[in-house]
Amino acid sequence: MSAELLPLLVAIPLGGAAISAIAKRNLGVQRVVGVVSVGAVFVLSVLAWLEADSGNPLEVDVGGWTGGVGIALAIDPMSGMILSIAMLLVLAVLLYAISQLGQDVLDWWFHPKYLALTAGVALSISTADLFNLFVGFELTLIASYTLLTVRSGGRQVRSTISYVVVNLMASMLFLLTVAFAYGTTGTLDLSDIVATLRSDNPAMLSVFSAMTLVVFGIKAALFPLYMWLPDSYPTAPAPVTAVFAGLLTKVGVYAIYRTQTLISEVDNALLLSIAAATMFFGILGALSQRDVKRILSFHIVSQIGYMLMGLGLFTLAGLAAGVAYIVNQIVVKTGLFLVAGEVDAEIGGSDIDAGSGLIKTRPWLAGAFAVLALSLAGVPPLGGFVVKFALINEGLVTGQWGVSAVALIVSVLTLFSMMKIWNGVFWGDRVGEGPGAKRGMRLVTGGVVVLSLLVALYASDLLEASLTAAESLLAAVGGGV
Amino acid sequence: MSLAMVVAIGVLFTIGVYLLLQRNLTRVLVGLGILAHGVNLMILNASSRFGTAPILDGREGPISDPLPQALILTAIVIAFAVTAFLLALAVRAWGATSEDFVEDDLEDRRIGSNRGGESP
């Protein structure tokens, strides 16, 4: 495909959102528009990825403004890979949400908001320009604020407020970074900013590095900036939480990967310490909770640490393992929250005391949870094991004993907290009543589980593709490690 | 960058951060608004050159750098949308609890009290 088509990645879902808003209460039209536009973006991103993977990264300056002052979009193997897998899961969650409509209190605004979120994610991943990254993040965030309040009573409003205020604070810092970068270098193109800073003003490069790490660290929920996440995510309806869990923090991680590899003078000790602390404190939070969605939300935080560990190692193999980890995590985490949504529908609540014995009435659901939970914990032969092995192996090869030990211990604790959900919700006598999960929900959850198994089956292909992606990350600075 | 501008930005940031740290939602909102103004001034300061309006109609003299102004416009629109949303949220919170007060997380308090600690 030609690079001129790249703006469609953002334009299609935005146009879909507009049509969907005009169609208003006509659910049939909204569903068709939603599925068609997300599907089209998925196909486009896969085509772009394949093109980039074969050695032709796509780049376009929208409207012909060059020199770091216009809107630049670029797809290289890294962004193509993450974008493709993200859009596949966005599509899956959309289908899940559609089959859940009617029993959930998702109103007609759901579709326009969801498509705006899709556009924001696509823009954040495909842009090569600092200010458009800001616009992409804001688009995603504003859609996410409104999605969080889809059905809100007093409790939801409270947690949404902390989510909104924390993220707004991060956005202000982001704008400060933009002002600082433009004022010092006179360009907004990410690689130009870094190149100019390196040649003219090396001391300022570390300021830029620190500012972007803090800004994206809030979005990605790194230690110690993660407190907003377990507070707000669990209160949203299941499909909304699933797409947030699978995507939003990973977009933050992706931005960290982008910027830090460009800067390339990474403080390994700092990043690895943050990674270890994020893993450890995230899992401690999960151990103390008694609500399925809250336990899973703390797992999001914990897993972010592993992804950062890949970056902190900063070798080609380490980065590749980190990228593979992100891909596997997007699939598994989304799947787990889809399972949590079904559990909610079956036992009428997400607290582990709300009901039990689901294995008797829904054995396949229990199986789906087992596969995804074991994959997240990293039990062989599932996908989570493959990527975790690649990561920790590289940690040991490079002699980073501390962070590797923490990663192993946290894996065991992850398994332990998953056992808590298993014992509470799936084991024992059948207690708890709910409206029941619709067939569409079951099908989509099953599809995501199959996808997570495919990750394990095609592990060598995944690692190979991640290696290409990691090479493209490092090639952007014109140097290796 | 003139000294007055620097002082103005500093004052705006001070007020904004102070208000942001309050428990009262309306104050947080106003604080975010003021902080946004401070940030916008910062972007304006990042201009590479200052002068007359950047319109190419053959006028004389140096012209201003148009890009920061475009960035500020975008930032203002985004801040406006978010402020409107937060105001709507504040109204809803008021309707639910009749309070304009951001409370602690219930779950955190419950866990804190389970451990034998005192709930705040």
Side-chain angles (χ1 to χ4, degrees):
Chain A
M1 70 177 265
S2 81
E4 275 68 38
L5 292 179
L6 285 187
L8 286 179
L9 289 173
V10 186
I12 290 177
L14 273 186
I19 297 173
S20 195
I22 294 168
K24 247 186 145 176
R25 291 178 198 286
N26 193 337
L27 262 183
V29 175
Q30 287 193 323
R31 289 174 179 180
V32 172
V33 169
V35 172
V36 168
S37 35
V38 176
V41 177
F42 170 62
V43 172
L44 272 179
S45 53
V46 169
L47 288 177
W49 175 33
L50 292 179
E51 180 89 19
D53 213 32
S54 62
N56 308 311
L58 302 170
E59 267 188 71
V60 63
D61 292 305
V62 181
W65 291 90
T66 53
V69 297
I71 298 175
L73 297 176
I75 294 287
D76 60 7
M78 172 71 182
S79 51
M81 185 175 183
I82 302 288
L83 188 63
S84 304
I85 192 75
M87 286 304 140
L88 182 59
L89 270 298
V90 167
L91 186 61
V93 175
L94 180 63
L95 294 173
Y96 183 93
I98 286 175
S99 54
Q100 200 189 21
L101 276 173
Q103 84 171 40
D104 209 298
V105 204
L106 295 170
D107 58 7
W108 63 272
W109 273 111
F110 173 77
H111 287 278
K113 289 171 187 171
Y114 193 81
L115 288 174
L117 183 84
T118 312
V121 170
L123 180 60
S124 314
I125 297 179
S126 60
T127 189
D129 166 306
L130 193 62
F131 191 73
N132 286 302
L133 192 57
F134 169 75
V135 174
F137 268 97
E138 280 309 300
L139 190 54
T140 318
L141 283 173
I142 292 177
S144 74
Y145 301 153
T146 53
L147 278 169
L148 263 181
T149 42
V150 162
R151 51 161 191 200
S152 58
R155 174 85 196 281
Q156 281 82 357
V157 169
R158 195 212 67 79
S159 53
T160 313
I161 285 170
S162 47
Y163 176 75
V164 174
V165 171
V166 167
N167 277 296
L168 273 180
M169 194 62 220
S171 302
M172 300 287 162
L173 284 176
F174 199 162
L175 271 181
L176 271 184
T177 316
V178 170
F180 157 78
Y182 185 73
T184 333
T185 64
T187 173
L188 286 172
D189 187 272
L190 268 173
S191 44
D192 287 351
I193 291 174
V194 174
T196 316
L197 283 178
R198 181 172 293 127
S199 59
D200 300 354
N201 216 339
M204 282 300 186
L205 195 60
S206 40
V207 178
F208 182 69
S209 166
M211 287 180 89
T212 48
L213 188 62
V214 171
V215 169
F216 301 135
I218 297 177
K219 314 264 178 194
L222 295 183
F223 177 84
L225 307 166
Y226 63 83
M227 275 308 169
W228 55 271
L229 189 148
D231 212 17
S232 53
Y233 277 19
T235 55
V240 174
T241 322
V243 79
F244 283 12
L247 288 182
L248 294 197
T249 47
K250 278 64 181 183
V251 176
V253 174
Y254 168 81
I256 295 179
Y257 265 71
R258 261 286 142 205
T259 46
Q260 297 297 319
T261 48
L262 270 178
I263 293 162
S264 91
E265 285 146 32
V266 175
D267 186 344
N268 296 60
L270 175 73
L271 283 182
L272 289 175
S273 318
I274 298 177
T278 310
M279 288 178 209
F280 189 66
F281 287 101
I283 201 66
L284 282 193
L287 288 172
S288 70
Q289 300 291 330
R290 294 195 62 78
D291 180 295
V292 176
K293 283 186 182 173
R294 286 184 74 100
I295 294 177
L296 292 177
S297 297
F298 273 104
H299 281 157
I300 302 177
V301 176
S302 175
Q303 299 295 319
I304 295 289
Y306 287 92
M307 297 168 207
L308 194 68
M309 178 181 160
L311 178 66
L313 295 172
F314 215 74
T315 58
L316 187 60
L319 281 171
V323 174
Y325 207 97
I326 296 177
V327 170
N328 182 59
Q329 192 63 21
I330 289 177
V331 177
V332 170
K333 205 76 235 185
T334 310
L336 275 171
F337 272 94
L338 294 181
V339 170
E342 285 200 53
V343 167
D344 201 344
E346 294 285 347
I347 64 174
S350 62
D351 196 284
I352 49 178
D353 298 325
S356 61
L358 266 183
I359 197 167
K360 297 206 169 100
T361 46
R362 294 287 313 279
W364 284 100
L365 181 62
F369 175 78
V371 168
L372 293 170
L374 292 178
S375 177
L376 189 86
V379 173
L382 298 164
F385 167 73
V386 178
V387 291
K388 203 170 267 187
F389 178 79
L391 192 62
I392 295 177
N393 184 41
E394 183 62 19
L396 295 176
V397 167
T398 49
Q400 300 292 350
W401 307 105
V403 74
S404 308
V406 173
L408 287 169
I409 294 168
V410 169
S411 296
V412 178
L413 293 177
T414 307
L415 192 59
F416 176 73
S417 59
M418 287 297 185
M419 297 295 275
K420 203 160 80 173
I421 300 182
W422 177 263
N423 288 338
V425 176
F426 292 101
W427 216 238
D429 295 326
R430 184 71 184 89
V431 189
E433 283 294 319
K438 297 269 163 65
R439 176 187 289 182
M441 294 162 69
R442 301 179 185 195
L443 283 176
V444 174
T445 314
V448 175
V449 172
V450 170
L451 194 62
S452 82
L453 292 174
L454 287 180
V455 170
L457 273 178
Y458 293 95
S460 62
D461 292 324
L462 172 69
L463 290 175
E464 204 172 300
S466 309
L467 206 61
T468 322
E471 274 166 2
S472 76
L473 275 177
L474 291 176
V477 275
V481 179
Chain B
M1 201 193 280
S2 72
L3 187 64
M5 196 76 148
V6 178
V7 172
I9 294 171
V11 169
L12 283 175
F13 265 85
T14 315
I15 301 174
V17 170
Y18 176 76
L19 287 176
L20 202 60
L21 296 175
Q22 305 288 309
R23 275 276 158 135
N24 191 309
L25 188 55
T26 331
R27 292 189 180 192
V28 170
L29 254 166
V30 175
L32 279 171
I34 291 177
L35 209 57
H37 290 311
V39 172
N40 287 342
L41 283 186
M42 273 295 277
I43 302 179
L44 192 63
N45 262 322
S47 304
S48 58
R49 54 183 183 276
F50 297 94
T52 54
I55 304 169
L56 292 178
D57 56 355
R59 64 178 76 189
E60 296 290 312
I63 56 171
S64 294
D65 184 0
L67 189 68
Q69 305 183 14
L71 300 187
I72 292 172
L73 271 180
T74 316
I76 289 175
V77 172
I78 291 174
F80 167 73
V82 174
T83 311
F85 171 74
L86 264 177
L87 277 170
L89 209 59
V91 170
R92 195 183 266 189
W94 173 266
T97 59
S98 303
E99 270 180 48
D100 182 29
F101 200 72
V102 185
E103 289 185 37
D104 280 337
D105 186 27
L106 287 175
E107 185 72 17
D108 286 353
R109 276 194 281 177
R110 198 166 68 82
I111 289 168
S113 56
N114 278 350
R115 292 273 168 77
E118 284 177 29
S119 85

